[in-house]
Amino acid sequence: MNKLIYLDSGSTTFPKPEEVYHQMDRFYRDYGVNPGRSGYDLCMIAVTMVEETRRLLTKFFNGTDYNRLIFSLNGTDALNLAIFGLLENGDHAITTAIEHNSVLRPLYHLSRDSNVEVDHIPFDSRGFVDPDAIKRKMKKNTRLVVVNHGSNVIGTVQPIKEIGALCRERGITFLIDSAQTAGKIPIDMDRMNIDVVAFTGHKSLMGPMGTGGLYVREGVEVRHTRAGGTGVRSAIRSHLDEYPYRLEYGTGNLPGIAGLNAGVKWVEEKGLHTIHEHESNLLRMLRDGLREIDGVSLYCQDDLTDHIAVLAFNVDGLEALDTGTMLDVDYNISCRTGLHCAPMVHEQIGTDKIHGAVRFGIGPFNTEEDITTAVQAVGEIVRSRTGVHAR
Ligand SMILES: Cc1ncc(COP(=O)(O)O)c(C=O)c1O
């Protein structure tokens, strides 16, 4: 059996840094109690760990008040909290065709059930959304603009700062989905004019599954759309308005937060620039290798600046699913196939009609050898199907 080559970091990073496993294990063995519910020693150790993680992530996004960093179940949950908590009956929202279903579906439900009007801005032939196209759609009742920072299909990184400036001038709340970028591309809420950032913990922040959250800038208020226990001021009938309780409900994923704490520290120690450069070099190598094979269609721009390390492609004449199965069964290469929860991207690039694409997602632990093997494997799959030889 060939060595496993994991090229599905767009779905989740694997493996995690050793310290992440260690911290999760340590949480449960040494102080695995419910923080904020009592004042005994173990409880206070757990509180300290959660607070330290809030501070780490607040600093990571250049926020100002660590209580405004709230933890959720994952990126999808964070986006739901923000979208349902920011929009009301009669509001208008603008988003893009590059979004993941964790943005598209909440907005669809609001448009179907709550009289919220939604515009979807297409991307250009290089995969970028034009800030002016967003500006042209802004109107009096536009309350929210939601944009995916980095595409999980075509990899393009959107001009967040420019879009944010347009929103800021008009007092429109600007929410970004950083699921694919946090941990690879610097996100400075202040400099990039971001009001609310939604993040996931289990991708490039190197934390475990079941973690994610929001940072909500001071001056922006997200309504609570759920209610429950917070561990404090229990006699009050309604859910608390103050952050972080406002957007946290019940017992959180404490071992997950402990692991995320270690993941963020690992990322900071390596440095975003170093991680991004390593992945970008491998991406270039992968793109150049696949480009040399006749019979492979790549869905990626020529210039790889403003790009994260995911690459979508198809072997001509093969269903993406079949290519993925061959990569898995014959070469022990793990990747993602299908629509990647981003159906409008596939509609725009035309791959919706052929059931999507194959996606290689490069992570910090991938090597040049992994890429060489993946390119060779795709070449062999093409040749076995068509008899066409690599140039
Ligand atoms: C762009 C984008 N947004 C949101 C999500 C959802 O993140 P999570 O899996 O943490 O819910 C993903 C996950 O694949 C994603 O790629």
Side-chain angles (χ1 to χ4, degrees):
M1 185 65 157
N2 300 332
K3 174 188 137 222
L4 171 78
I5 296 179
Y6 184 76
L7 282 173
D8 196 17
S9 288
S11 298
T12 195
T13 47
F14 174 79
K16 304 296 180 188
E18 267 311 306
E19 196 54 16
V20 172
Y21 305 125
H22 176 69
Q23 284 301 345
M24 294 179 76
D25 185 68
R26 208 181 129 228
F27 168 79
Y28 262 137
R29 288 181 198 283
D30 294 355
Y31 60 100
V33 303
N34 212 334
R37 281 16 184 198
S38 308
Y40 51 86
D41 285 357
L42 285 189
C43 204
M44 294 319 288
I45 297 172
V47 168
T48 305
M49 181 278 289
V50 175
E51 280 198 7
E52 190 198 61
T53 316
R54 281 194 214 283
R55 285 179 199 272
L56 274 175
L57 282 158
T58 299
K59 187 161 164 274
F60 188 87
F61 294 119
N62 197 22
T64 45
D65 174 0
Y66 74 94
N67 283 318
R68 284 178 164 261
L69 186 296
I70 67 96
F71 292 110
S72 63
L73 302 174
N74 48 46
T76 304
D77 191 47
L79 285 159
N80 270 266
L81 287 172
I83 291 170
F84 282 99
L86 284 164
L87 288 168
E88 283 180 277
N89 224 314
D91 285 342
H92 171 238
I94 303 173
T95 191
T96 79
I98 212 140
E99 305 305 312
H100 187 271
N101 270 338
S102 50
V103 166
L104 295 177
R105 284 180 173 164
L107 287 174
Y108 172 74
H109 282 276
L110 282 168
S111 69
R112 191 191 62 184
D113 306 332
S114 301
N115 186 31
V116 167
E117 189 196 350
V118 183
D119 274 311
H120 298 87
I121 310 294
F123 47 91
D124 65 19
S125 58
R126 294 165 54 246
F128 295 101
V129 176
D130 177 6
D132 278 336
I134 293 184
K135 183 174 148 190
R136 285 194 289 276
K137 286 289 179 190
M138 288 174 171
K139 48 188 189 179
K140 261 211 178 107
N141 64 334
T142 307
R143 172 91 169 89
L144 179 67
V145 171
V146 195
V147 176
N148 180 352
H149 190 193
S151 168
N152 58 318
V153 184
I154 51 175
T156 44
V157 175
Q158 301 305 322
I160 293 302
K161 186 178 173 186
E162 289 74 13
I163 300 169
L166 293 170
C167 294
R168 196 60 61 90
E169 277 165 23
R170 290 159 182 77
I172 298 168
T173 304
F174 183 40
L175 163 67
I176 70 154
D177 170 5
S178 75
Q180 292 289 336
T181 51
K184 290 179 197 278
I185 310 271
I187 299 172
D188 181 326
M189 298 196 55
D190 188 37
R191 207 179 54 76
M192 293 162 82
N193 306 308
I194 300 163
D195 291 318
V196 184
V197 60
F199 64 92
T200 187
H202 67 95
K203 298 187 199 264
S204 300
L205 289 174
M206 305 308 285
M209 294 169 181
T211 59
L214 293 174
Y215 185 89
V216 182
R217 186 176 70 82
E218 276 169 283
V220 175
E221 304 306 346
V222 178
R223 290 190 319 278
H224 39 71
T225 45
R226 299 173 194 162
T230 49
V232 296
R233 285 184 272 300
S234 299
I236 298 175
R237 294 220 169 226
S238 59
H239 196 80
L240 302 184
D241 280 335
E242 69 206 76
Y243 294 90
Y245 311 111
R246 186 182 180 109
L247 299 175
E248 289 184 357
Y249 313 85
T251 302
N253 176 3
L254 273 293
I257 293 172
L260 179 58
N261 180 306
V264 175
K265 284 180 183 160
W266 184 88
V267 166
E268 296 214 308
E269 208 176 289
K270 289 267 162 211
L272 289 190
H273 179 72
T274 309
I275 294 171
H276 184 54
E277 197 170 68
H278 169 73
E279 294 183 1
S280 297
N281 288 339
L282 297 184
L283 174 69
R284 222 164 280 120
M285 192 178 157
L286 177 65
R287 193 272 315 265
D288 292 347
L290 293 182
R291 205 154 56 172
E292 287 300 301
I293 304 170
D294 266 344
V296 171
S297 298
L298 289 180
Y299 309 109
C300 144
Q301 51 159 351
D302 278 344
D303 178 2
L304 292 179
T305 33
D306 296 324
H307 207 286
I308 51 169
V310 298
L311 185 61
F313 69 95
N314 269 314
V315 170
D316 301 344
L318 272 188
E319 289 278 322
L321 181 63
D322 292 334
T323 307
T325 305
M326 286 183 227
L327 285 165
D328 175 27
V329 175
D330 298 338
Y331 300 94
N332 207 14
I333 295 174
S334 308
C335 63
R336 172 99 190 257
T337 61
L339 297 180
H340 318 99
C341 303
M344 292 183 88
V345 178
H346 289 279
E347 280 165 29
Q348 223 191 295
I349 64 177
T351 39
D352 58 323
K353 292 167 203 73
I354 51 171
H355 309 121
V358 185
R359 180 187 73 189
F360 282 149
I362 296 169
F365 296 122
N366 283 121
T367 61
E368 289 191 0
E369 194 190 338
D370 293 344
I371 303 302
T372 305
T373 309
V375 171
Q376 274 168 3
V378 175
E380 285 179 24
I381 290 170
V382 170
R383 289 193 291 278
S384 73
R385 288 291 302 170
T386 63
V388 174
H389 291 273
R391 271 184 259 147

